[in-house]
Amino acid sequence: FLLGVIGSIPIPLVNYAIPIMLSYSIAPSLATWNQGGFVNVGYAVSRGCGVVMVVTSLASVFGQLNSALVPNARVVWATALADDPRHRLLPRLLSYSYRSRSGVVRPLVAIMATALAALVVALAPFQIVVESYLYFRLVNLGFEYASLIALRINEPETPREMRIPGGLLVCFVFCLPLLGVAGILLATSTTEAMAVGIGAQFVFAGAYAVRWHQARAMRSAAEARPLLGK
């Protein structure tokens, strides 16, 4: 596992470093590095290169959107699927799906709802979207690493398919990049992006808390019903 994590780091570095170095050698000015910067550099080389950059950028964005849309739509579908309303986090409408002859379930309504949400988000300024996403991602990773450390402390002997060598020390070391990125984000983030990113966290947490209390009340009512019958 550790070798896999270490080995995956150079791949995105090389993937981004080569086009960035080539582009900066053509247009060595930080003022040109904004939204659509690669396309502008391509047109600076030639019209054909600019067209290729536009086409490849569209293909890349389409692929990234699909790679995010498919799993996220299934999460939405799964959280609305439960027959028992006490275990359902989202409206039942989002669970409607189509099952093909081969047995593959296609969550149509969840896909459309997720795509609509992505469209609304895409209308916001690019910088706010990116920084707000980082806030969500950092909170998500924070919970993941906190769970990793908590399980190492509370259930050290539990059998696991993969185990990070080095014990708690390495687990804490893995948290350092997350803390570094969080510090940089807080230091450089705009006020608008910070308000959207942090505010959205409180909105989602509040909505989840309300739904949790509703489910708890329904469970209590279901448990009390047999007693009332007696």
Side-chain angles (χ1 to χ4, degrees), residues 4-20:
V5 172
I6 295 175
S8 64
I9 293 176
I11 297 175
L13 289 178
V14 173
N15 182 51
Y16 282 99
I18 293 177
I20 289 176

Side-chain angles (χ1 to χ4, degrees), residues 2 152 163-172:
L2 185 60
R152 274 299 184 92
R163 181 182 290 271
I164 299 176
L168 279 176
L169 177 61
V170 175
C171 293
F172 280 111

Side-chain angles (χ1 to χ4, degrees), residues 54-212:
V54 170
V55 173
T56 54
S57 297
L58 290 174
S60 175
V61 171
F62 180 75
Q64 291 181 17
L65 177 62
N66 281 338
S67 66
L69 183 65
V70 172
N72 288 333
R74 289 201 171 269
V75 170
V76 171
W77 168 75
T79 52
L81 187 61
D83 293 327
D84 191 339
R86 295 173 295 177
H87 302 147
R88 192 186 310 138
L89 295 177
L90 295 175
R92 187 62 185 272
L93 174 65
L94 296 172
S95 68
Y96 289 121
S97 58
Y98 165 74
R99 184 182 296 272
S100 65
R101 293 182 179 179
S102 60
V104 177
V105 177
R106 295 177 173 85
L108 300 180
V109 178
I111 290 175
M112 290 187 290
T114 308
L116 181 61
L119 175 62
V120 173
V121 171
L123 298 176
F126 181 74
Q127 184 176 359
I128 293 180
V129 172
V130 172
E131 293 183 8
S132 300
Y133 167 78
L134 285 178
Y135 280 107
F136 277 97
R137 189 61 179 150
L138 288 173
V139 171
N140 178 273
L141 290 174
F143 278 114
E144 289 183 9
Y145 283 117
S147 301
L148 171 64
I149 294 173
L151 288 173
R152 274 299 184 92
I153 295 175
N154 299 327
E155 302 179 19
E157 303 302 327
T158 300
R160 296 175 172 86
E161 295 183 3
M162 296 181 295
R163 181 182 290 271
I164 299 176
L168 279 176
L169 177 61
V170 175
C171 293
F172 280 111
V173 170
F174 275 10
C175 296
L176 295 179
L178 176 66
L179 295 176
V181 173
I184 294 173
L185 179 62
L186 289 174
T188 60
S189 179
T190 61
T191 305
E192 294 82 1
M194 188 179 297
V196 172
I198 298 179
Q201 304 285 343
F202 282 104
V203 170
F204 278 99
Y208 182 83
V210 170
R211 185 65 188 90
W212 183 81

Side-chain angles (χ1 to χ4, degrees), residues 11-59:
I11 297 175
L13 289 178
V14 173
N15 182 51
Y16 282 99
I18 293 177
I20 289 176
M21 287 189 296
L22 290 175
S23 298
Y24 192 77
S25 65
I26 297 171
S29 174
L30 293 178
T32 62
W33 288 91
N34 49 28
Q35 186 176 356
F38 280 120
V39 173
N40 295 332
V41 172
Y43 275 107
V45 176
S46 67
R47 180 178 178 82
C49 183
V51 172
V52 171
M53 291 294 293
V54 170
V55 173
T56 54
S57 297
L58 290 174

Side-chain angles (χ1 to χ4, degrees), residues 1 167 225:
F1 175 81
R225 208 169 290 129

